Amino acid sequence: MEAAATEALRDLLQRQRESWRADPPGYARRMDDLARLRAAFKARLDEFVRAIDADFGCRPREETLLAEGMTVLRSIDHARRHLKRWMRPQRVAPEWPCLPARCGIVARPLGVVGILAPWNYPVNLALIPLVDALAAGNHALLKPAEATPRTSELLERLIDDVFARDRVAVVQGDAEVAAAFSALPFDHLLFTGSSATGAKVMAAAAGNLTPVTLELGGKSPAIVAPGFPLKTAAARIAAGKWLNAGQTCIAPDYVLLHEDDRDGFVDCLRSEVARRHGAPGGSREYASIIDRAQYERLCAWRDEARAQGAEVIALPDDNAGDAARRILPPTLVLGATDAMRVMREEIFGPILPIATFRGIDEAIARVNARPRPLALYLFDRDPARTRRVLEACPAGGVCINDCMLQFAQSRLPFGGIGASGMGAYHGHAGFLTFSHRMAVFRQSRFSSFALMRPPYGRLAERLLRVLTR
Ligand code: NAD
């Protein structure tokens, strides 16, 4: 990137930092910021629906309202409802030898934070981190995705309408700009995207000792335990997998189920997809793949699986999709092996490998043979077995007997573990991510530690004996 452009980014950050130092937002300003952001976003919701639809080629209105509209509005409402309590200093007991001193923890804003968002939910993944950063009293620079240009431009207009640029500003640009952005000396950086880019972001941030929250991806398994009703599991996995045509970080990436259940489960998926997307003449209620490169990658992985002996089933009824509109139908892969790319890498599209096990231990071993997932889905009504799977399989988050709804809970932290990310946000977790928990020790008029100064007498000696017991 040109030196002048990098310099302009640094200037913008510096201006935000100066204005934050001069006047860091208190409770009233934060509440007002969130209220104005809410009103402006709500007023533009239909524009966002249209912009995302145009950026994707096709993105059903209902999916956008649910996954971007509802999630953002609810996260603002949740923050506004709880902010006073989150900001309240917390009293904690001092160590008894320090009595009668007092201790407390005060949540302080960090300063200026950076947010890097991807294209798959371009509004939700930009604005929810921003809501959390504003609730915590920060200024923010936001770099939305270049793959959704109309939506990113609309985001910029929204933010410019609500905030002065020395408080919150949007920066546009490609991967090169994103790389320069991640090298800015922010007080905190939240990145959402792939694990490979996450590693680059972390390396760039390390140069400034900027702390990072990394919201990454990976292969999230869905385990269907023996005895769980297959029709219910199929309906819920289908809804989670084919929302946004599988372009979701927490989409079930592959299914693991008992070998005796496989054919029944495939039949249930067939009828489920026919019911949901089997409209005559094709369904408008199914998203396009974001761009040609992603579409071709997915086709290549599907074709490789077929060439290496897997059975590939496009739903419903051998649906061929629509290459011109980048519509790739729900596609099952049976008999996939770990040598195939669909089982080696995160799919991030509508292809669903279905693998089998003979006992739950085999399922646990298969999950744990891979990097830790962002989400783990378990369909099981047996409490003991559920506990066992949860203890054995660490994951960013878990959803039992359904898919994706762990994301939509404002009271649950959202974040990965290991290769699927570090740190968390949403609700109070997000407020804490963008705050510093400042420790405050307040000495009383009388200090018990005054007895602990030289020259040490017999009283100090006796006290030390007690303290080192
Ligand atoms: P990506 O990592 O390719 O790109 C994400 C963003 O990073 C892009 O908008 C780009 O501008 C920026 N970028 C590119 N190079 C960069 C660099 N060197 N330094 C800094 N930024 C750079 O990811 P993607 O293809 O846009 O998104 C798909 C991935 O994101 C999947 O792995 C998915 O699981 C993950 N994801 C995770 C979450 C989550 O919340 N954990 C949500 C959505 C997507």
Side-chain angles (χ1 to χ4, degrees), residues 266-306:
V266 169
D267 285 345
C268 291
L269 279 179
R270 266 187 219 282
S271 356
E272 185 60 26
V273 175
R275 182 158 48 238
R276 306 288 166 205
H277 301 292
S283 164
R284 272 290 298 175
E285 297 182 339
Y286 183 80
S288 296
I289 301 302
I290 185 74
D291 58 28
R292 188 59 43 199
Q294 292 283 343
Y295 179 82
E296 279 166 11
R297 169 184 69 82
L298 288 162
C299 292
W301 289 14
R302 175 201 60 195
D303 296 344
E304 179 203 68
R306 190 186 281 124

Side-chain angles (χ1 to χ4, degrees), residues 139-445:
H139 288 183
L141 281 180
L142 168 63
K143 156 74 182 73
E146 63 275 25
T148 45
R150 298 168 189 84
T151 311
S152 296
E153 203 207 299
L154 194 52
L155 273 171
E156 183 168 357
R157 272 191 273 140
L158 169 80
I159 296 300
D160 283 348
D161 281 356
V162 180
F163 299 101
R165 274 183 78 77
D166 67 357
R167 298 198 52 225
V168 184
V170 170
V171 170
Q172 306 283 6
D174 57 9
E176 215 184 320
V177 173
F181 186 94
S182 62
L184 293 174
F186 287 110
D187 296 297
H188 193 95
L189 189 56
L190 183 144
F191 167 80
T192 304
S194 64
S195 304
T197 312
K200 291 185 197 164
V201 168
M202 195 171 172
N208 301 306
L209 291 180
T210 294
V212 288
T213 300
L214 300 178
E215 297 287 338
L216 311 175
K219 290 185 85 63
S220 297
I223 302 173
V224 184
F228 192 91
L230 294 180
K231 194 165 170 225
T232 307
R236 295 177 185 175
I237 290 173
K241 177 69 183 183
W242 291 306
L243 178 82
N244 205 22
Q247 300 164 105
T248 307
C249 55
I250 49 169
D253 186 277
Y254 62 105
V255 174
L256 282 167
L257 82 180
H258 193 275
E259 56 187 11
D260 294 345
D261 288 337
R262 192 189 77 171
D263 293 347
F265 182 73
V266 169
D267 285 345
C268 291
L269 279 179
R270 266 187 219 282
S271 356
E272 185 60 26
V273 175
R275 182 158 48 238
R276 306 288 166 205
H277 301 292
S283 164
R284 272 290 298 175
E285 297 182 339
Y286 183 80
S288 296
I289 301 302
I290 185 74
D291 58 28
R292 188 59 43 199
Q294 292 283 343
Y295 179 82
E296 279 166 11
R297 169 184 69 82
L298 288 162
C299 292
W301 289 14
R302 175 201 60 195
D303 296 344
E304 179 203 68
R306 190 186 281 124
Q308 292 186 14
E311 184 185 353
V312 173
I313 305 170
L315 299 176
D317 312 321
D318 299 325
N319 184 357
D322 181 345
R325 289 173 55 227
R326 301 184 307 281
I327 296 286
L328 195 62
T331 303
L332 310 183
V333 179
L334 310 184
T337 66
D338 285 350
M340 299 171 186
R341 269 181 296 181
V342 287
M343 285 310 284
R344 281 206 319 264
E345 292 178 46
E346 178 183 0
I347 292 172
F348 216 62
I351 301 171
L352 183 65
I354 297 174
T356 59
F357 57 77
R358 274 184 226 104
I360 201 77
D361 287 334
E362 195 186 332
I364 291 172
R366 291 189 73 159
V367 170
N368 286 339
R370 301 176 193 287
R372 290 173 173 178
L374 182 58
L376 171 73
Y377 299 108
L378 174 63
F379 291 83
D380 198 351
R381 290 189 180 150
D382 176 327
R385 192 169 49 195
T386 300
R387 256 197 320 277
R388 203 159 121 232
V389 173
L390 296 200
E391 276 165 20
C393 300
V398 175
C399 182
I400 299 165
N401 299 341
D402 212 326
C403 282
M404 322 265 270
L405 293 173
Q406 77 278 22
F407 180 91
Q409 309 307 314
S410 300
R411 285 178 180 78
L412 289 182
F414 178 70
I417 174 174
S420 60
M422 64 180 69
Y425 70 121
H426 284 195
H428 193 213
F431 174 84
L432 292 177
T433 286
F434 290 113
S435 298
H436 170 58
R437 280 160 49 86
M438 189 168 75
V440 180
F441 176 89
R442 189 189 303 270
Q443 187 56 286
S444 60
R445 282 167 197 268

Side-chain angles (χ1 to χ4, degrees), residues 9 62 109 113 124 130 135 175 185 245 255 258 293 301:
L9 276 183
E62 292 78 3
V113 304
N124 165 336
L130 179 64
V255 174
H258 193 275
W301 289 14

